[in-house]
């Protein structure tokens, strides 16, 4: 998916978020739902998301992409010609560069990876996703409650009543400290894909109670479910899938600790000027 990623960014005007790149690649390749719903191992990532993540890593290492701290990816040049690029050459060049660096540092690891940081990220993704799946329904609802509170919601309450039409909780979202609106949320703790029918059922439970809904799952959403959530003329429902959930937990430091490694480098030129 290296070249489709480049093509997607060109179509998007040279830059785009991870979600925008994903949507555009899916459109360009005309990928069916049966492919989009395939999960990668035991993670909350789909196989397509996993491959696109590696594609962005390779293209960044090759010098064709760059990304900001806000999660926006962009082409380093607007004059990139797809006809001049060879996916196999990009992969080979990145791997050769990494192997050369490993040799220079006298690495004894024979199985050098292309991007150790990416592998570490996948490792914590898998671990966190397994932990989320092991939570009881009540614990997962409490986690959602904490997540919303840390994200700025107020008066967040967990209902968790089976007779409540699938509504797991309610809260008030505050925007810039001035605007606010009531939100009903539902939590689904499983590895499968949420269907359009489940989104419709949730919206039915929202009827007459609020104009905004939030659906949180450790799994994924089918393409029809995403379309149903934003269908014209119906109350909108925001969706948080497993990948977005683990990333948000990381950002908020909920159950995830980030350790910064100090790097010390001696400036030899400084001593020559004494």
């Amino acid at each position: 998916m290296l070249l489709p990623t480049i093509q997607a960014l060109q179509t998007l005007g040279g830059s785009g978020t991870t979600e925008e790149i994903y949507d555009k690649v899916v459109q360009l390749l005309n990928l069916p739902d049966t492919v989009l719903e395939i999960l990668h191992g035991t993670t909350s990532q789909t196989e397509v998301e996993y491959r696109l993540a590696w594609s962005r890593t390779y293209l960044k290492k090759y010098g064709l992409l760059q990304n900001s701290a806000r999660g926006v990816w962009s082409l380093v040049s607007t004059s990139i010609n797809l006809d001049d690029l060879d996916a196999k050459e990009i992969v080979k060049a990145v791997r050769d560069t990494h192997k050369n660096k490993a040799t220079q540092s006298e690495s004894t690891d024979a199985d050098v990876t292309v991007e150790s940081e990416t592998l570490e990220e996948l490792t914590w993704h898998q671990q966190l996703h397994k932990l989320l799946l092991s939570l009881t329904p009540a614990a997962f609802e409490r986690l959602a409650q904490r997540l919303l509170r840390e994200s700025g919601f107020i008066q967040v309450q967990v209902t968790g009543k089976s007779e409540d039409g699938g509504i797991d909780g309610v809260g008030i979202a505050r925007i810039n400290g001035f605007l606010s609106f009531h939100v009903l949320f539902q939590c689904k703790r499983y590895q499968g894909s949420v269907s359009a029918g489940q989104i419709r059922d949730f919206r039915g439970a929202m009827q007459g109670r609020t104009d905004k809904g939030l659906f949180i799952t450790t799994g994924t959403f089918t393409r029809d479910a995403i379309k149903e959530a934003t269908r014209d003329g119906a109350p909108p429902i925001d969706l948080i899938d497993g990948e977005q959930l683990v990333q948000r937990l990381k950002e908020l430091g909920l159950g995830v600790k980030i350790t910064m490694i100090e790097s010390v480098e001696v400036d030899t030129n400084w001593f020559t000027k004494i």
Side-chain angles (χ1 to χ4, degrees), residues 219-268:
T220 59
F221 295 96
T222 65
R223 188 152 44 174
D224 286 340
I226 295 173
K227 291 179 180 178
E228 176 61 32
T230 56
R231 178 167 54 86
D232 290 341
I237 298 175
D238 286 322
L239 307 177
I240 298 180
D241 62 18
E243 177 64 16
Q244 293 170 311
L245 177 58
V246 297
Q247 286 292 348
R248 189 60 180 156
L249 291 174
K250 176 187 174 184
E251 292 170 5
L252 296 172
L254 298 176
V256 179
K257 296 180 180 179
I258 300 176
T259 304
M260 304 301 292
I261 300 176
E262 183 181 37
S263 177
V264 180
E265 182 179 347
V266 176
D267 185 358
T268 55

Side-chain angles (χ1 to χ4, degrees), residues 177-189:
F178 294 102
L179 301 177
S180 63
F181 51 87
H182 285 77
V183 176
L184 298 181
F185 64 89
Q186 183 177 121
C187 310
K188 280 207 174 292
R189 178 191 50 82

Side-chain angles (χ1 to χ4, degrees), residues 144-218:
Q145 181 184 41
R146 175 70 182 276
L147 177 70
L148 295 181
R149 281 174 172 158
E150 296 286 354
S151 298
F153 283 64
I154 60 173
Q155 298 182 27
V156 184
Q157 299 177 8
V158 172
T159 59
K161 299 176 182 178
S162 58
E163 67 273 14
D164 204 17
I167 302 299
D168 293 319
V170 298
I172 299 177
R174 298 292 299 272
I175 302 177
N176 297 327
F178 294 102
L179 301 177
S180 63
F181 51 87
H182 285 77
V183 176
L184 298 181
F185 64 89
Q186 183 177 121
C187 310
K188 280 207 174 292
R189 178 191 50 82
Y190 62 75
Q191 197 168 338
S193 297
V194 176
S195 66
Q198 290 170 302
I199 297 296
R200 283 191 291 270
D201 291 343
F202 178 44
R203 182 177 282 123
M206 292 166 46
Q207 194 74 27
R209 302 175 60 179
T210 183
D211 292 327
K212 193 72 172 176
L214 179 63
F215 203 118
I216 305 172
T217 180
T218 53

Side-chain angles (χ1 to χ4, degrees), residues 43 45 50 53-54 56-57 73 115-129 243 246-247 250:
T43 70
Q45 274 189 319
Y50 173 81
W54 274 107
R56 294 191 299 272
T57 296
W73 293 81
E115 182 59 78
S116 59
E117 293 179 1
T118 303
L119 285 179
E120 289 176 4
E121 183 170 320
L122 289 174
T123 299
W124 74 259
H125 269 223
Q126 293 171 346
Q127 183 181 5
L128 182 52
H129 189 250
E243 177 64 16
V246 297
Q247 286 292 348
K250 176 187 174 184

Side-chain angles (χ1 to χ4, degrees), residues 23 36 46 57 60 82 92 94 96 101 135 232 270 272:
D23 291 338
L36 298 178
T46 64
T57 296
K60 180 179 179 180
L82 284 174
K92 183 178 184 300
V94 173
D96 288 346
K101 288 182 179 179
L135 295 176
D232 290 341
W270 185 87
T272 60

Side-chain angles (χ1 to χ4, degrees), residues 5-6 9 56 59-60 63-67 73-76:
T5 298
I6 294 290
L9 282 168
R56 294 191 299 272
L59 292 170
K60 180 179 179 180
L64 294 176
L65 293 190
Q66 57 189 6
N67 63 309
W73 293 81
S74 60
L75 299 171
V76 297

